[in-house]
Structure formats: structure tokens, C-alpha cells
Amino acid sequence: MFETLQSPAADKILALMQTFRDDTRDNKIDLGVGVYKDETGNTPVMRSVKAAEQQLVNEQTTKAYTGLAGDPAFADAMIDLVLGDTVPRERIAAVATPGGTGAIRQAMEFIKRASPDAAVWVSNPTWPNHPSIIKYLGMKLGEYRYFDEDTCGVDFDGMMTDLGTVAAGDVVLLHGCCHNPTGANLTLAQWGAVIAVVKDRGAVPMIDIAYQGFGDGLADDAAATRMVAESFDEVLIAASCSKNFGVYRERTGILMAIGRNADDTKLAQGNLAFLNRQNYSFPPDHGARVVTMILTDPALRADWEEELETTRLGMLDLRQQLADELRRLSNSDRFDFLAVHRGMFSRLGTSPENVEKLRADYGIYMVGDSRMNIAGLNADTIPVLARAIIDAGI
Ligand code: LMR
């Protein structure tokens, strides 16, 4: 039967990772996949993660199954990190998932189960795996405008116009912070307007928050998610620990479903646990346990927050250096948006041809839509990238 299979379309981010690996040039620069790198190009294990893992090895007495929803302590710690006390705990259903992608996948299956005809609206552009999963599950996909190619900021008017056409019961997927792939984000006032239109249409918001702590700080990055959580009866939230705890390969994430009341939430909890059972039974626990230990131990938490903050400030500094260098070389302010963007990514706003030129002629790898991983830069590569951008006529 295998011969009847069709080759799936390649994920453009993962395909780029492979092309980069195959490139033999030693001056190549990887600005592709969203993985944090320090100034030496390493993706370090965070100090607090190392310490918690060591403690875990010493203390753990069993590897027997947790619950289908994962460890309840993980859910409590993550709900506190993402939502604080904005929503009563009895209104929040939650299951641990294999990474943020697992949470997105379970959310889509949950939506499909609850409301098979609902369309899920994603920003144009968005993380390519969002539409891929939605289409794979045979669900309806809608798109709202998001990015203004001229300013490299949010096309807020376009976004509001498109959200104004969403049908009652549809789901609107929003990036909680650090929009991937653009780096362009809504102000809190704009979030207020988005909340109003989504509410007015009778739609359900879903938040994907994968970079909390990478933009303006842990609390500020959660502010929009909390505003949404407070404003609706029902909200879905997919949160990832891959980036802010650097536990990419441990697959640590969580799906939260905020319900109208305790009864609805109980129903949601049962369905989420059922979906875990159908897909992989018990979610992975190692990363979740480590994250829980860090969030609940004052010393580990303080160290984690300090290291995360250093990471965040380092990325902001790289943004500023790149914007300054491009200002100097282009003698214009047209790249200043790079310092305004937040998170790991910025969309440069240039054509796929120019992106290919940067790759072929300069060994600089960014995703075809001109998304750059800012964390892939360092003080040595910033002048090289800036010079290549100017020389390529961008
Ligand atoms: C990215 O956007 O590069 C990351 O979220 C990694 C991935 O899985 O695509």
C-alpha cells in the first residue's frame, strides 16, 4: 500500500534547515529555524534547567504514568505563568501536550469535535504549521490580513476589516506576543479593538503563545493573552515552553481551555483528556516536571527569570545594532522597524528572489518570506548581513 502515498509538501522551515546543513561554505549564516543561539552560536541548556534536571535525577523515585492530562502541578504552574489570577481556576481546563505544536493540534481537534463547521482564522502570514494542521484535519480555514509590506508593521485596518467578516462560532487564532513570522505586534489599545470586533462577531479567540519572555518581559508579553482571557466566556490558549525554557526537544507545552462555567469546563477537561488518549495517551513529563520545579522553587525561578531576561535583552541589542548598521549603510531610516519588532523574528519585507540571492551569493539563510531569526545573529555577523542586504539591492 505504501506505493499509493503521495509525498507531503515540505515544511519550508524544516526544508531550509536541511539546505543549510548541506551547504559546505564555512561563512554561512543561519537565520532560519526559530531556535535561540548565544553569541557563540550555541543553543545552551539554561542554568535553571540543568539544576532542576540534576535534582530530578536524584529525587525521582518512579517513572510510572502521570495522568492523561499530565501532572496537575504543571497545569497550575503554567496557568499562573500565562494567566496569573485573571480567570478563576475552576473555569480553566488544561492538558499537557508534546510541545506547543501538540497544543495547537489538540486545540484544532477539540474545535472540530465541538463545532465541526467552524472556520479557524489565521493571520496572513502566520507560522506555516497553523494552516497546515487546520487543512490536514479537513477544517475550514480563514485568513485575516496582518502585515503591511510597506511599513513592515501591522496592517491594522486590513486586520479589522477582515475580522469584521468572521462568522459567529468561528475561531480567531491570534499570536499572544512576538508574532511569528513577522515580529510586528499589536499595541494593547489595538488588542482592545480586536477583542471588541471578535466579540461583536460572536467568535471564539484562540491564543498561540510560544515566546513569552522574549519580547517585552514575562508579564508584558502575557498582557494581551490576559486581556483576551478576561473578555470572553470561552478562550483556547496553546502555550509552549520550548523557547522560554530552552527545552525544545523535551516537547513541553500545554493547552488551556477557558469555559463559561465550572460545568462546561469539566466537559472540556474530559474531552481534552480523551484527545490525549487517542493521540498519544500520556503526555511527556520530563520537560513538564523540570518547568514545574523551576516555576515553583523561588531560587530556580529567580535564576530562570534572570537568564531569560539576559536572553531577551541580548536579542533587543542585536535588533538595535542591525537597525543602526542598516541606517548607516543605507543612509535612511527604512530599516528602523527592525528595532521596533519584538521576539525572535523579523520579516525583512523583501521578495523570495532577494532571499534566494542572499542565500546563493552570501550564504545567508532566511525563510523564503524573508523571516529572519534575530537570535541567529551576533556582533560579527551583523555587519556582514547589513552589507549583503544593501549590496543585494534590498
Ligand atoms: C519556527 O517557527 O521556526 C519554530 O517554531 C520551529 C518550528 O517548529 O517551525
Side-chain angles (χ1 to χ4, degrees):
M1 65 179 169
F2 295 0
E3 73 283 0
T4 65
L5 291 169
Q6 289 175 1
S7 292
D11 180 290
K12 62 183 179 183
I13 298 171
L14 304 187
L16 189 73
M17 273 170 94
Q18 191 54 48
T19 320
F20 179 81
R21 279 190 194 128
D22 295 343
D23 188 334
T24 52
R25 289 175 284 187
D26 42 350
N27 59 348
K28 60 187 178 175
I29 301 174
D30 180 14
L31 308 180
V33 69
V35 170
Y36 173 75
K37 293 189 196 131
D38 63 17
E39 62 287 350
T40 63
N42 285 326
T43 303
V45 180
M46 293 180 86
R47 293 185 304 262
S48 54
V49 169
K50 240 328 172 224
E53 283 184 318
Q54 260 150 8
Q55 200 181 320
L56 184 58
V57 167
N58 292 336
E59 287 173 1
Q60 197 167 44
T61 53
T62 181
K63 291 218 182 261
Y65 294 124
T66 57
L68 270 185
D71 181 354
F74 173 65
D76 288 345
M78 285 301 292
I79 288 168
D80 183 57
L81 181 70
V82 176
L83 291 173
D85 55 9
T86 45
V87 179
R89 183 64 181 87
E90 60 169 23
R91 279 187 54 216
I92 311 172
V95 282
T97 55
T101 307
I104 305 275
R105 169 66 189 255
Q106 297 299 67
M108 294 310 156
E109 297 218 25
F110 180 83
I111 294 164
K112 194 175 170 184
R113 237 172 116 66
S115 185
D117 291 329
V120 180
W121 292 70
V122 300
S123 61
N124 179 9
T126 190
W127 182 54
N129 215 16
H130 285 152
S132 180
I133 292 173
I134 294 165
K135 285 193 252 171
Y136 177 67
L137 289 173
M139 298 169 74
K140 287 188 205 146
L141 176 70
E143 277 185 349
Y144 57 87
R145 274 170 283 173
Y146 187 80
F147 190 64
D148 182 333
E149 298 281 345
D150 293 330
T151 62
C152 289
V154 176
D155 175 6
F156 187 62
D157 291 343
M159 179 178 186
M160 290 296 284
T161 304
D162 293 348
L163 290 181
T165 68
V166 167
D170 281 355
V171 176
V172 176
L173 176 51
L174 299 151
H175 299 223
C177 64
C178 306
H179 185 267
N180 177 7
T182 67
N185 295 290
L186 297 167
T187 63
L188 281 185
Q190 288 173 328
W191 271 101
V194 165
I195 287 170
V197 70
V198 173
K199 233 181 145 89
D200 183 54
R201 300 303 299 170
V204 177
M206 171 170 167
I207 303 279
D208 180 0
I209 180 160
Y211 297 91
Q212 187 182 354
F214 271 39
D216 292 312
L218 276 174
D220 285 357
D221 288 349
T225 304
R226 292 176 186 185
M227 257 173 94
V228 171
E230 276 173 340
S231 308
F232 290 85
D233 285 345
E234 293 180 341
V235 184
L236 291 166
I237 301 169
S240 169
C241 301
S242 296
K243 280 87 180 181
N244 52 7
F245 289 86
V247 290
Y248 305 85
R249 64 174 66 169
E250 302 301 347
R251 311 313 296 137
T252 309
I254 187 163
L255 175 60
M256 305 173 200
I258 299 175
R260 258 186 321 169
N261 52 43
D263 285 345
D264 278 10
T265 304
K266 219 169 148 197
L267 205 52
Q269 183 68 50
N271 274 268
L272 292 176
F274 170 79
L275 285 172
N276 267 7
R277 181 66 170 161
Q278 301 319 300
N279 285 323
Y280 38 76
S281 258
F282 301 89
D285 184 63
H286 179 81
R289 182 94 291 268
V290 166
V291 165
T292 310
M293 289 167 77
I294 293 170
L295 289 176
T296 55
D297 177 299
L300 287 175
R301 181 162 183 148
D303 191 39
W304 170 65
E305 290 194 11
E306 191 187 306
E307 194 171 359
L308 180 61
E309 186 64 1
T310 306
T311 302
R312 182 181 81 81
L313 294 175
M315 285 188 293
L316 277 185
D317 191 43
L318 291 170
R319 289 187 171 283
Q320 193 62 53
Q321 285 182 46
L322 181 60
D324 288 349
E325 187 66 3
L326 282 163
R327 185 178 257 257
R328 198 176 67 75
L329 293 179
S330 69
N331 212 7
S332 80
D333 58 7
R334 68 196 169 91
F335 295 103
D336 281 9
F337 65 86
L338 290 166
V340 179
H341 284 173
R342 284 293 178 273
M344 212 180 231
F345 307 115
S346 266
R347 185 153 161 170
L348 189 56
T350 192
S351 65
E353 292 74 29
N354 281 338
V355 170
E356 175 51 22
K357 194 168 175 184
L358 288 172
R359 192 197 66 75
D361 297 352
Y362 304 91
I364 295 170
Y365 283 72
M366 52 182 78
V367 182
D369 60 4
S370 73
R371 184 192 86 169
M372 303 182 286
N373 174 12
I374 296 293
L377 290 167
N378 60 41
D380 295 333
T381 53
I382 282 174
V384 178
L385 170 65
R387 171 49 64 201
I389 288 173
I390 299 301
D391 289 353
I394 294 169

